[in-house]
Amino acid sequence: MEIRAIYPTPFNEVCSIYCFLRKPATVKAIVYDVAGEPVRTWSETFTAPGKIVLEWKGDNDSGARCSFGAFILRLSTEATDGDTDLDWGRLAISR
């Protein structure tokens, strides 16, 4: 798995995360604030390799909106054959 690009959308509070999966896998995403505290965790399963897009809507695990600023993204994968992968990225929320 490889993060290709992360784009905040200036007209709404969504960050689009463009990735490339080498194999079918479950992707787990964790967003941390700059203090290193986890803010939002979610996972999705993809049945085919290739380009994928994940979206973070600027909310925390309780559904409340996060304040604007910088965040750190940790993406990990577990493929159907047991292989694992890890990548990191930076996110920004602007209002």
Side-chain angles (χ1 to χ4, degrees):
M1 187 253 330
E2 175 186 353
I3 297 174
R4 297 274 172 101
I6 301 173
Y7 295 108
T9 305
F11 303 108
N12 60 36
E13 299 167 354
V14 175
C15 283
S16 297
I17 305 153
Y18 296 86
C19 307
F20 183 82
L21 287 178
R22 292 176 186 86
K23 306 176 182 184
T26 297
V27 177
K28 182 176 181 182
I30 304 174
V31 176
Y32 297 91
D33 62 18
V34 291
E37 296 296 319
V39 173
R40 178 83 166 99
T41 303
W42 75 97
S43 65
E44 290 186 44
T45 299
F46 297 91
T47 57
K51 296 178 187 177
I52 62 167
V53 179
L54 302 172
E55 289 189 342
W56 178 49
K57 297 177 181 159
D59 57 346
N60 63 21
D61 283 329
S62 300
R65 295 206 186 277
C66 296
S67 60
F68 70 91
F71 297 86
I72 300 163
L73 171 68
R74 179 186 189 267
L75 284 182
S76 60
T77 61
E78 184 172 342
T80 54
D81 65 3
D83 283 350
T84 59
D85 207 352
L86 177 67
D87 203 355
W88 295 85
R90 291 175 291 194
L91 302 168
I93 294 292
S94 60
R95 302 198 200 278

